[in-house]
Amino acid sequence: MWLTTADEAQKLARQPQQAPAGRAAGDEAVTIDTSKRFQEMHGFGAAMTDASAILLSNLPDSKRKAIMAELFGRANSGLGLSFTRLTVGASDFSTRAYSYDDTPGNVPDPELRHFSIEPAKKYVLPRTREALAINPDLLVMISPWSAPAWMKTSRSLITGQLQPQYYQPFANYLARTVEGFGREGVPVSMITIQNEPDFEPDDYPGMRVNSPDRAVIIGGYVGPTFRTRGLKAQILDYDHNWDDPQMPLTVLRDPRARQYVSGVAWHCYEGDVPAQSRVHDAYPAKDAWVTECSGGQWSPKYAEVLGWMTDKLIIGASNHWSRGTLLWNLALDPKHGPHTGGCGDCRGVVTIDPSTGAIIRNVEYYVLGHASRFVLPGAYRVATAKRGEAVEASAFINPDGTRVAILHRKSGTGPLTIALDGERYEVALPVDSVATLRWKARSGGK
């Protein structure tokens, strides 16, 4: 067992190995049934934003290599992060607003003669290549915050909508981004056509793309363009909050779009995680992924963040069909940046002080670690049943047959009882703490 306590006395701390207390009695707080398997998992991670890549790149080589190995590797108790997100052009966590096709005076460029991924080549792509070298299982998704300004009604990277006459150039723009990243050694596994499409921020790049328009853009332009160009990157819809599942349902009801959409991307800032199951139940062949959630100074208490993020983003997201979870910035500085507009108090998985090189591992680091270190790519979620509301739990079986359970104890006293493979375990788990338990496969099979 690995334990993180609310008082921060223990953080992903290894506990003594424990033998079963006897046969399961049927009254355990949590029962794990490995014979019932659900979605295949891929992994957990955070976004390699411009801000994160800049901070990591500016560390001394030895320190950068060490923290990258710790974040993406599995040796020496590394986190083994296996999922990341890159932005197509700028986000609020960039040092300036830009796209990959900015033209003088915003002159229309439907042939994309000005297209260039050069801004990504300085920091983001080198750090992502480094992460891929450490962990070849790393899954890369990409999302634009805005189309190039000349494609939009606002003629600005900030606010506005995509003009219909530029649907095909926009599809080509996304395809060329996937191709360009691939040539730079960063294969793109998944893409969304717009970050948070129901939100037009007023001080950083953004673009409103309602659900009927997304269905047209995906079904009539992006999907066919990717197919024609032989691109294997999967298209995810939505990339926005749990509060409006009707938005992805509208896209999935469109038969042309549905054939190209492999799943739905979710954010955590409004609504609740059961929305994922609502969409899954309507379209069970479509995957779910949590693709953004940030911690920040609006919620500064360690114990509250530990419990909420574990409940919603690790346990809840998995139990509601997600194949993986991404937090937002992998790294930020002590001033919550660098950023241009947008969130002024977001927190990274780690905080890097550019003046000293000091690295702080935040509560988000431990939330991710309880899953990413132990739930391996190719694992399956298995059935869990709990008695009462004292604990939240999700469980998995890895490709090597090891069993993993992630637990958040919310109330109660005394040992927490768990049934697995017919045996009973009694685990000392303090209230408000999070634990990961791992069992070796029983003799004779997986």
Side-chain angles (χ1 to χ4, degrees), residues 1-6 10-15 44 74 77-81 302 306-307 309-310 314-315 363-376 394 396 404-408 429 432-438:
M1 183 170 83
W2 288 260
L3 178 67
T4 298
T5 54
Q10 299 197 71
K11 297 178 177 179
L12 263 177
R14 179 77 179 261
Q15 307 299 300
F44 305 83
R74 296 193 183 278
S77 299
L79 292 195
L81 300 181
Y302 189 97
L306 176 68
M309 282 195 162
T310 301
I314 306 298
I315 294 172
V363 60
E364 291 81 4
Y365 175 102
Y366 298 100
V367 169
L368 283 175
H370 271 285
S372 62
R373 189 185 289 179
F374 307 101
V375 181
L376 306 180
S394 193
F396 310 86
V404 173
I406 301 170
L407 310 171
H408 170 222
L429 190 59
D432 295 330
S433 63
V434 170
T436 300
L437 282 65
R438 185 173 64 191

Side-chain angles (χ1 to χ4, degrees), residues 117-319:
I117 62 166
E118 199 63 32
K121 291 183 180 180
K122 187 171 184 180
Y123 298 113
V124 169
L125 294 176
R127 295 291 69 76
T128 308
R129 278 196 302 271
E130 185 176 13
L132 281 160
I134 295 165
N135 184 355
D137 289 327
L138 183 69
L139 193 70
V140 177
M141 73 165 291
I142 64 174
S143 305
W145 265 237
S146 173
W150 55 265
M151 294 187 186
K152 298 170 65 183
T153 56
S154 63
R155 295 186 59 79
S156 169
L157 293 174
I158 299 173
T159 72
Q161 301 178 35
L162 185 65
Q163 298 186 75
Q165 67 264 36
Y166 295 124
Y167 285 177
Q168 186 58 58
F170 181 62
N172 296 339
Y173 174 84
L174 296 179
R176 288 188 62 177
T177 300
V178 172
E179 291 165 349
F181 281 15
R183 285 193 294 271
E184 292 295 316
V186 177
V188 175
S189 295
M190 298 187 297
I191 184 171
T192 60
I193 70 165
Q194 176 59 40
N195 173 70
E196 298 190 343
D198 196 38
F199 177 51
E200 289 180 77
D202 60 10
D203 62 353
Y204 65 93
M207 185 169 74
R208 188 178 298 275
V209 191
N210 66 32
S211 296
D213 288 348
R214 290 202 313 282
V216 171
I217 294 166
I218 293 170
Y221 298 91
V222 177
T225 298
F226 277 34
R227 182 171 289 177
T228 298
R229 295 172 84 135
L231 300 181
K232 303 300 184 186
Q234 297 179 9
I235 299 169
L236 305 181
D237 183 48
Y238 196 40
D239 217 4
H240 212 165
N241 291 325
W242 290 318
D243 63 333
D244 198 351
Q246 278 303 323
M247 291 191 73
L249 286 170
T250 296
V251 173
L252 291 172
R253 278 194 290 267
D254 183 289
R256 281 207 308 169
R258 186 169 63 246
Q259 66 178 313
Y260 297 112
V261 173
S262 72
V264 176
W266 298 94
H267 295 189
C268 74
Y269 306 113
E270 300 286 347
D272 203 356
V273 67
Q276 296 177 186
S277 283
R278 181 176 170 188
V279 175
H280 173 269
D281 292 349
Y283 296 95
K286 304 303 182 184
D287 293 332
W289 302 85
V290 175
T291 54
E292 185 184 316
C293 193
S294 184
Q297 292 310 108
W298 60 84
S299 183
K301 295 181 180 178
Y302 189 97
E304 290 179 4
V305 178
L306 176 68
W308 189 92
M309 282 195 162
T310 301
D311 282 355
K312 303 296 184 181
L313 306 179
I314 306 298
I315 294 172
S318 300
N319 288 349

